[in-house]
Amino acid sequence: MVLDGLPGTARLVEVGLRDGLQAVGGILDTEAKLEILEQVLAAGFTTVEITSFAHPKVLPQFGDAEQVIAQAPRRDGITYKALVPNLRGAQRACATGIDEIVAVIPVDPNTAVKNQNTTPERLLTDFSAIVEEAQATDKKVTAAVATAFFAPCRGPIPVGELDTVVARVVEAGTDSLYLAGTSGMESPREFADGVRRVKAQHPDVPVGVHLHNRNGLSGINALASLAAGADWLEGSFGGLGGDMWFPGDPSVLGNAPMEDLIVLLDQLGIATGIDLTLYLKAVDTVAEATGIPSYSFVTRGGTRDELAHARWPEEAPGRTHG
């Protein structure tokens, strides 16, 4: 039974092949990426962010962006996305067979400088040109509104600043947008209020959320967003990726672990269309290929079914548990 206020279904977008792999030092070859993609698709995902058009000198992991897109399996109902940091990246992406481009625009000026060596105002100006490029090549555009609620080295983002960026990307003609919890320090109230406000102000624009997990609240933030009307949730296999360049234990710095989101939604009766058992094969493949273990609870603690069918050790410890 679904809890009051929550939807009966939820759309999940896997971003590990981009936001996850950008945090990996070693470069995975194209064949390895395509193997992971096949396993993600086999699990039931229909929307996958598969690469980035950041400059190869900045992120050499994605030097094969064109090859990944050209070799990705084409199936009915599957949408492939690629991230673009700027207009030049969008031009490269629009010359490929990608279905949708994701243009990043941080609300916080310092983050824009650190991340893209420019200002939010310049990114917003370029966004209009990006939309024109996309429309001319029959691509969809998602505006990735980064640092939507909280920015490192600054703190909470004023509501007015977020509203201004959202209004500008909508005016430019974006097909959809997502609010990104870039720092992983966002609260459920911020996500709920943000999603609800954007949907009220721009009711014709689909709104998703991109979840990071530094404060351990990505699952709660996901539910708060769904209750507020979010159209999709984004996470990464094993919680890979995220704000790895900031201080802290790497096990909490990544994206929302997608497998934990799947378990959470399933146990609430919210259908995702994803087969957890098949998806965990992809998670294992990623861990083996990158050398980075999954940070999710389900991979470390197991599933309810696994624990229910486990056998007591022959010499059980003599401790009392609550």
Side-chain angles (χ1 to χ4, degrees):
M1 181 178 179
V2 179
L3 295 177
D4 290 344
L6 290 172
T9 62
R11 182 160 70 96
L12 300 180
V13 175
E14 171 60 66
V15 301
L17 283 165
R18 192 280 301 177
D19 199 8
L21 294 188
Q22 75 176 24
V24 176
I27 298 176
L28 271 67
D29 60 33
T30 304
E31 184 178 347
K33 295 174 183 177
L34 292 171
E35 178 186 1
I36 294 166
L37 176 58
E38 285 279 12
Q39 292 179 330
V40 167
L41 296 177
F45 281 87
T46 58
T47 306
V48 186
E49 192 171 281
I50 60 175
T51 193
S52 168
F53 282 91
H55 196 289
K57 288 184 178 179
V58 178
L59 286 175
Q61 182 70 262
F62 304 115
D64 63 348
E66 284 86 354
Q67 292 94 322
V68 168
I69 293 169
Q71 297 179 48
R74 285 292 167 180
R75 298 168 189 166
D76 291 342
I78 302 298
T79 297
Y80 291 135
K81 297 187 176 189
L83 182 135
V84 301
N86 49 38
L87 179 56
R88 176 57 188 143
Q91 291 168 337
R92 285 179 58 203
C94 287
T96 72
I98 199 68
D99 302 307
E100 186 170 328
I101 60 176
V102 180
V104 181
I105 304 170
V107 178
D108 175 56
N110 289 330
T111 302
V113 171
K114 295 291 185 183
N115 194 48
Q116 290 149 281
N117 196 32
T118 189
T119 65
E121 180 59 37
R122 176 59 187 270
L123 290 169
L124 286 166
T125 299
D126 284 352
F127 185 73
S128 296
I130 289 173
V131 171
E132 291 179 6
E133 288 274 349
Q135 291 175 342
T137 54
D138 199 28
K139 316 291 187 192
K140 296 291 187 181
V141 179
T142 290
V145 182
T147 56
F149 309 113
F150 188 98
C153 307
R154 178 184 179 183
I157 296 294
V159 170
E161 291 185 27
L162 171 60
D163 287 350
T164 296
V165 171
V166 169
R168 292 278 297 277
V169 299
V170 171
E171 182 182 7
T174 194
D175 295 291
S176 61
L177 66 90
Y178 69 64
L179 305 177
T182 307
S183 72
M185 281 295 188
E186 297 73 23
S187 73
R189 182 181 296 277
E190 287 170 329
F191 268 104
D193 289 348
V195 170
R196 191 175 293 114
R197 192 174 65 256
V198 171
K199 290 187 75 70
Q201 293 172 351
H202 310 284
D204 297 328
V205 180
V207 179
V209 294
H210 180 93
L211 301 158
H212 288 203
N213 200 42
R214 175 184 282 261
N215 61 6
L217 297 181
S218 62
I220 300 173
N221 289 338
L223 296 182
S225 299
L226 288 176
D231 295 290
W232 77 89
L233 309 173
E234 297 193 354
S236 169
F237 33 58
L240 189 64
D243 56 345
M244 304 297 282
W245 54 90
F246 291 122
D249 183 336
S251 68
V252 301
L253 299 187
N255 289 286
M258 182 61 81
E259 55 268 38
D260 283 346
L261 291 179
I262 295 168
V263 170
L264 173 63
L265 298 177
D266 179 68
Q267 293 188 3
L268 284 170
I270 300 174
T272 64
I274 309 301
D275 184 312
L276 177 64
T277 300
L278 291 178
Y279 182 68
L280 289 175
K281 293 181 179 180
V283 175
D284 290 342
T285 298
V286 172
E288 182 177 353
T290 63
I292 301 174
S294 168
Y295 298 126
S296 70
F297 283 100
V298 68
T299 55
R300 291 181 293 174
T303 65
R304 281 166 59 95
D305 187 63
E306 288 170 342
L307 189 57
H309 291 88
R311 298 181 62 181
W312 286 105
E314 292 184 5
E315 295 183 4
R319 294 195 291 267
T320 301
H321 297 275

